[in-house]
């Protein structure tokens, strides 16, 4: 039985994006990304986990949606690519 270390929600997008990138690049085969939108309170949440560490970011700001969409798209492209990736993704 594994205990997932859930991190509190990140306060800044930049910190979250850096941590998510680092977690993904450490072991791409174990990482998964979950997006959840709650219409009742207008919150969009992105969670990146490898079953050992769980990174979370939540926002109700419209301008953050584009940032989340951009990071999510980059992670999805890396996940479906057959190439080996090294280096850093730009997240701004």
């Amino acid at each position: 039985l594994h205990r997932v270390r859930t991190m509190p929600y990140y306060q800044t997008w930049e910190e979250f994006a850096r941590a998510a990138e680092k977690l993904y690049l450490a072991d791409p085969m174990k990482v998964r990304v979950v997006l959840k939108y709650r219409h009742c309170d207008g919150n969009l949440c992105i969670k990146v986990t490898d079953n050992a560490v769980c990174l979370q970011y939540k926002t109700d700001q419209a301008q953050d949606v584009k940032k989340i969409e951009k990071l999510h798209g980059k992670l999805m492209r890396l996940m479906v690519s057959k190439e080996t990736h090294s280096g850093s993704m730009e997240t701004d």
Side-chain angles (χ1 to χ4, degrees):
L1 197 52
H2 299 281
R3 292 208 52 96
V4 176
R5 199 176 70 203
T6 301
M7 304 296 286
Y9 287 97
Y10 278 81
Q11 298 302 308
T12 67
W13 171 253
E14 291 74 20
E15 287 179 37
F16 173 79
R18 265 194 308 273
E21 175 185 347
K22 186 176 175 184
L23 186 65
Y24 176 79
L25 292 173
D27 194 348
M29 295 304 292
K30 288 188 178 178
V31 171
R32 65 182 188 278
V33 179
V34 178
L35 282 175
K36 184 165 90 174
Y37 176 70
R38 286 179 39 99
H39 182 72
C40 62
D41 54 15
N43 283 334
L44 178 63
C45 178
I46 182 169
K47 179 168 69 172
V48 179
T49 184
D50 67 355
N51 288 338
V53 176
C54 180
L55 309 174
Q56 302 179 90
Y57 182 78
K58 180 167 51 173
T59 186
D60 61 359
Q61 301 299 307
Q63 67 264 24
D64 287 342
V65 174
K66 282 288 185 196
K67 294 175 188 174
I68 291 172
E69 184 179 40
K70 188 175 178 182
L71 176 65
H72 188 250
K74 286 179 181 181
L75 290 173
M76 293 301 106
R77 282 191 298 278
L78 286 173
M79 287 177 184
V80 299
S81 173
K82 290 186 164 89
E83 299 171 18
T84 307
H85 295 280
S86 61
S88 175
M89 298 183 304
E90 293 177 20
T91 54
D92 16 43

